[in-house]
Amino acid sequence: MKYIFLRAIRRYMKIGMFFYFKNITVFNKERLPKNKPTLILCNHQNGLIDPLLIAVTIDRFLHYLTRAGVFTKPLLAKLFHRFQMLPVYRIRDGWGNLTNNNAIFETCTKLLSQGETVVIFPEGGHDLRRTVRPLSKGFTRIVLDTLEKYPETDLQLLPLGLNYEGILNFPDKATIHFGEPIPAKSLYTGQRNQDVITLKTRIQAEMSKLTTVVPIEGYQETLDKLESLKVDFLKPQTVNACVKNNFEAPVKRHKARFVWLKQLFRFLLIVNYIMPYVVWKYYAQPKIKELEFVATFRFAVTIVLGPFWLLLTALVVVGLFGFTAALYYLVMSLVLVLVAVKL
């Protein structure tokens, strides 16, 4: 029953992502190891949208290491546990809570020894900036503990890069880049301190190949320069090369077309889904304290209230004009969403 529930939720989320994103492009998915325990290591810019994108892209049941702060409310904590999310505690969660990580890391090593797939965001938190920040050493403990406690485990490390055209925008575009899997044993010598450094250095380098990396030093100045050149942030290799080569040969985005038509359809979309829009604009959005969660809450309002409002309105149309008219309304409403988002 648990897996039926997870599969149903994943299917619903996949449909939601299709209607929410203008485009999601996946590169080199065939690199995902088959029938081997895998630790997926990914950059983290976009709140809960990041793990959701991974979930709808990879057709297997994943376990996620997630910051403990989102588990504070009992109902949400129960829901997140159903989604196979495991809380990870940081210093900001209180020194006393850090010892709770021991049991979480032990759970991860056991899952990997059983051939499962675990997802971790090794930067230790999310950040809107287009870069790969220094990695925390928590993931190295999972890797080394697994190899030490279960030496027969053929653990694979899979770097992943998520890139967004504009995280705060709706609709947005995203690309998912799969890196080459790395056998964990190839980076293991048994000298723990050195192995920690080796793992952090290698994974940082591999993730940086898959993610648009704007150097932290002089970040805003470099970002402004790239934006003035209208580079395509969905192409990390070429944008990174542009920065490295002193902004020569930028890869430009396609010039926006039919702007007025897009604005018209998006206005009609707001009118047709006025209740979800009002809830988002005047209730949910003002309460968001971290910009990294803007897309998360917008998506949540969309997939929860959007279908509810659509069905409620269709029932009103049935009462006023009959079933056929309501069916036409439903079809036209879905077409409107597709045109407004995909155009």
Side-chain angles (χ1 to χ4, degrees):
M1 288 299 295
K2 174 184 177 181
Y3 292 117
I4 293 175
F5 169 77
L6 288 175
R7 197 176 293 278
I9 291 295
R10 183 167 62 191
R11 182 65 59 85
Y12 184 66
M13 291 296 173
K14 194 167 188 175
I15 295 172
M17 288 285 181
F18 175 76
F19 281 97
Y20 182 85
F21 277 91
K22 186 172 184 177
N23 197 308
I24 301 173
T25 308
V26 182
F27 295 92
N28 301 314
K29 185 180 176 181
E30 70 281 357
R31 291 175 173 174
L32 178 68
K34 294 180 175 63
N35 304 318
K36 290 185 178 182
T38 304
L39 181 63
I40 296 176
L41 301 126
C42 186
N43 64 305
H44 198 14
Q45 294 180 335
N46 200 0
L48 292 176
I49 294 295
D50 289 341
L52 285 176
L53 270 179
I54 296 172
V56 301
T57 302
I58 297 177
D59 189 23
R60 63 176 65 172
F61 296 111
L62 308 171
H63 302 265
Y64 299 88
L65 285 178
T66 309
R67 70 172 191 167
V70 301
F71 288 80
T72 53
K73 296 184 178 180
L75 182 60
L76 285 178
K78 186 175 181 180
L79 182 64
F80 290 149
H81 282 300
R82 289 290 301 271
F83 291 158
Q84 302 191 150
M85 298 168 70
L86 304 169
V88 176
Y89 296 87
R90 300 170 296 174
I91 294 176
R92 70 182 65 180
D93 299 313
W95 284 97
N97 288 320
L98 292 180
T99 56
N100 294 330
N101 287 335
N102 295 332
I104 298 300
F105 290 154
E106 187 173 340
T107 297
C108 290
T109 60
K110 189 172 182 180
L111 287 168
L112 292 170
S113 73
Q114 296 170 347
E116 299 286 341
T117 300
V118 175
V119 179
I120 186 170
F121 300 96
E123 292 167 297
H126 52 221
D127 194 316
L128 284 178
R129 290 178 293 181
R130 300 180 187 275
T131 192
V132 176
R133 291 163 286 127
L135 308 186
S136 65
K137 63 180 182 180
F139 85 94
T140 67
R141 178 177 171 183
I142 294 173
V143 173
L144 298 177
D145 284 357
T146 301
L147 296 179
E148 290 171 2
K149 294 179 181 179
Y150 308 97
E152 73 285 353
T153 303
D154 186 15
L155 176 60
Q156 302 292 305
L157 309 179
L158 183 68
L160 208 67
L162 296 179
N163 297 277
Y164 299 91
E165 185 175 71
I167 288 177
L168 300 180
N169 299 336
F170 173 78
D172 193 12
K173 295 181 181 179
T175 57
I176 307 172
H177 294 259
F178 284 75
E180 291 282 359
I182 305 168
K185 289 181 180 178
S186 68
L187 303 178
Y188 179 68
T189 66
Q191 299 180 10
R192 197 171 184 97
N193 290 338
Q194 184 56 49
D195 288 343
V196 168
I197 296 173
T198 301
L199 281 164
K200 289 177 66 176
T201 302
R202 178 67 183 277
I203 297 303
Q204 175 104 25
E206 295 300 322
M207 287 173 56
S208 297
K209 296 176 185 177
L210 309 168
T211 310
T212 297
V213 177
V214 178
I216 294 297
E217 185 177 352
Y219 177 84
Q220 193 58 52
E221 181 182 352
T222 302
L223 183 64
D224 291 343
K225 181 68 173 177
L226 291 170
E227 289 179 340
S228 69
L229 293 172
K230 301 187 183 302
V231 300
D232 188 347
F233 289 111
L234 298 177
K235 298 180 178 179
Q237 292 84 2
T238 48
V239 176
N240 293 344
C242 176
V243 174
K244 185 178 179 180
N245 296 328
N246 197 26
F247 306 104
E248 294 180 3
V251 179
K252 295 185 178 181
R253 295 191 296 264
H254 294 295
K255 190 174 182 180
R257 296 179 298 175
F258 308 114
V259 176
W260 67 271
L261 194 58
K262 293 178 182 180
Q263 293 174 342
L264 172 62
F265 277 107
R266 287 171 192 173
F267 171 75
L268 293 175
L269 183 66
I270 291 173
V271 171
N272 195 50
Y273 291 86
I274 188 63
M275 187 274 281
Y277 177 77
V278 169
V279 170
W280 158 249
K281 195 70 176 178
Y282 299 102
Y283 178 76
Q285 189 176 18
K287 293 187 176 183
I288 300 174
K289 297 179 180 179
E290 298 177 71
L291 290 178
E292 290 85 355
F293 279 112
V294 167
T296 300
F297 279 90
R298 185 196 286 127
F299 179 70
V301 170
T302 300
I303 64 171
V304 174
L305 295 185
F308 171 78
W309 175 252
L310 188 62
L311 290 175
L312 182 63
T313 309
L315 288 175
V316 173
V317 175
V318 167
L320 294 175
F321 305 105
F323 179 80
T324 301
L327 185 60
Y328 275 117
Y329 168 75
L330 286 174
V331 172
M332 293 304 296
S333 294
L334 292 176
V335 171
L336 174 61
V337 175
L338 283 176
V339 174
V341 171
K342 304 297 182 181
L343 184 64

